[in-house]
Amino acid sequence: MTDRDQAPDDNVIPLRRHRRRPAPDFDEASIDALRDALEDLRNQIRSRLPEADRVSAGEPGIDWFGLFDELRSRISTLGMRERSVEIDEFGADAELLIRTRPLLDWMSGSYWRIEVQDVDRVPATGPVLFVANRSGLLPYDGLMLAHIVERMIPGLGRPRHMLADGLITLPFAQPFLARMGGIRACRENADRTLRTGRSLIAFPEGAKGATKTFRERYRLKRFGRGGVVRAAMDNHVQLVPVGIVGAEEAHPILFKSHTAARMLGLPFIPITPTFPVLGPLGLLPLPTKWVVVFGDPIELCEPSDADDEELIISRSTAALRDRIQELVDQGLDCRQSVWD
């Protein structure tokens, strides 16, 4: 007796093969009919509503259905609109930069009252690699320096400013920073920017400079392995040192909290005079007095062999750091106080 000849077990539920139903095929006429039906339903709902619900007593004639449709459209597109503008390969938005120019003018001239010194030392044509001290957690220093160069040295255009990974990978800040000209700090992006004729702003201190406490302010950290000097050598551009004073007091870090940061998966939580005491308002920068000092361009000599190259890069990096420290000290001497 084979398995096929055995009587079926009453406790076994026979399996049935279900055929997949074909997806309905909507032609254009069906879609038009559905659209007309929805419009007819909307008109019926509108006609059944009393006049008092459709028109506000204080503001007669308001089309609440139209306002609702417009609000729904804006929410679905997050305020975006169709437009044709030139956006470069790094995502910088020329129209956004033009729209925010009055705000940046007010921040540099009235809010931070930025005093610029020795800007005539900067070459009138580029590309140029600006190297500055890193100031504060948020990239106000790069944004303001790029704005100053664009305004005071039109021949160079607006330089791109490099951002650390901690900022460029933020889900909400990254698109805005990229549209404002920020690019991720890496050697590939530096070479690509300089080779296309654009100037660049680099902060060799990196995250170490951005997370300095108030006690360590304006004392430059180590410049890494000489990446900026290598980039200037390989792309045959001039290095211009810059000292920025005032940005570190805009968000002064009193100390760092590591206990609460571990629960949130963060390296640390900065404690400032306004954050987290004031909540989101603590993210606003303080109206400190800024001084930006430009140094003379640095010409780099070409190494004769590989051994000389490493030695020249090491010495040039140390000399560059010392020169920026001198510019920072010069800016501190010119400033009467944090607020003036």
Side-chain angles (χ1 to χ4, degrees), residues 111 137-138 140 250-251 270 272 274-276 278-286:
Y111 192 73
L137 286 171
L138 300 180
Y140 294 115
H251 277 296
T272 71
T274 58
F275 183 83
L278 300 181
L281 292 177
L283 299 177
L284 296 176
L286 298 176

Side-chain angles (χ1 to χ4, degrees), residues 25-239:
D25 187 12
F26 294 106
D27 54 7
E28 188 173 346
S30 301
I31 295 176
D32 292 339
L34 178 60
R35 186 181 296 111
D36 294 339
L38 292 175
E39 183 65 23
D40 182 62
L41 178 61
R42 178 182 177 181
N43 293 333
Q44 291 185 17
I45 295 175
R46 184 193 295 265
S47 63
R48 291 175 184 270
L49 286 176
E51 188 69 19
D53 292 341
R54 285 185 287 157
V55 179
S56 174
E59 298 174 338
I62 297 179
D63 185 5
W64 294 104
F65 284 93
L67 291 176
F68 174 76
D69 290 340
E70 183 180 356
L71 178 61
R72 181 180 60 181
S73 175
R74 288 182 177 273
I75 292 177
S76 63
T77 58
L78 295 177
M80 295 184 295
R81 57 191 176 91
E82 294 183 0
R83 55 191 176 90
S84 177
V85 295
E86 181 181 356
I87 295 179
D88 66 12
E89 60 270 26
F90 292 106
D93 189 339
E95 182 176 334
L96 177 63
L97 291 172
I98 293 175
R99 293 205 313 266
T100 56
R101 190 171 295 166
L103 174 61
L104 297 179
D105 286 337
W106 175 80
M107 293 179 67
S108 61
S110 301
Y111 192 73
W112 282 318
R113 309 169 304 282
I114 299 179
E115 177 183 344
V116 181
Q117 297 182 3
D118 300 328
V119 69
D120 56 333
R121 295 175 173 178
V122 181
T125 58
V128 174
L129 179 54
F130 296 93
V131 185
N133 56 303
R134 187 72 174 90
S135 303
L137 286 171
L138 300 180
Y140 294 115
D141 47 5
L143 191 63
M144 287 293 103
L145 183 55
H147 182 69
I148 290 171
V149 172
E150 181 186 28
R151 281 302 203 185
M152 305 189 72
I153 317 173
L156 288 181
R158 184 183 182 87
R160 300 293 185 264
H161 57 281
M162 307 197 81
L163 301 171
D165 290 342
L167 290 172
I168 206 65
T169 56
L170 292 176
F172 299 103
Q174 190 273 339
F176 178 76
L177 293 175
R179 294 175 65 192
M180 292 298 293
I183 62 176
R184 181 173 176 265
C186 65
R187 176 61 190 277
E188 292 78 8
N189 288 342
D191 291 340
R192 189 176 175 184
T193 303
L194 295 173
R195 288 171 184 171
T196 56
R198 300 186 182 95
S199 298
L200 184 66
I201 300 172
F203 302 93
E205 290 179 282
K208 301 186 299 295
T211 59
K212 286 183 292 188
T213 60
F214 189 71
R215 184 179 302 177
E216 302 172 318
R217 66 191 184 282
Y218 302 125
R219 287 183 287 177
L220 272 66
K221 298 290 186 179
R222 184 174 175 270
F223 271 18
R225 301 179 180 179
V228 291
V229 175
R230 292 178 186 271
M233 277 185 175
D234 294 344
N235 295 282
H236 307 287
V237 298
Q238 291 181 316
L239 282 173

Side-chain angles (χ1 to χ4, degrees), residues 9-31:
D9 192 348
D10 294 337
N11 296 326
V12 177
I13 300 177
L15 298 176
R16 296 180 181 178
R17 295 184 178 179
H18 297 275
R19 296 182 178 179
R20 297 182 59 185
R21 296 181 180 179
D25 187 12
F26 294 106
D27 54 7
E28 188 173 346
S30 301
I31 295 176

Side-chain angles (χ1 to χ4, degrees), residues 230 233-234 303-314:
R230 292 178 186 271
M233 277 185 175
D234 294 344
S304 57
D305 53 37
D307 294 335
D308 291 340
E309 180 179 359
E310 294 298 328
L311 182 60
I312 290 175
I313 290 176
S314 177

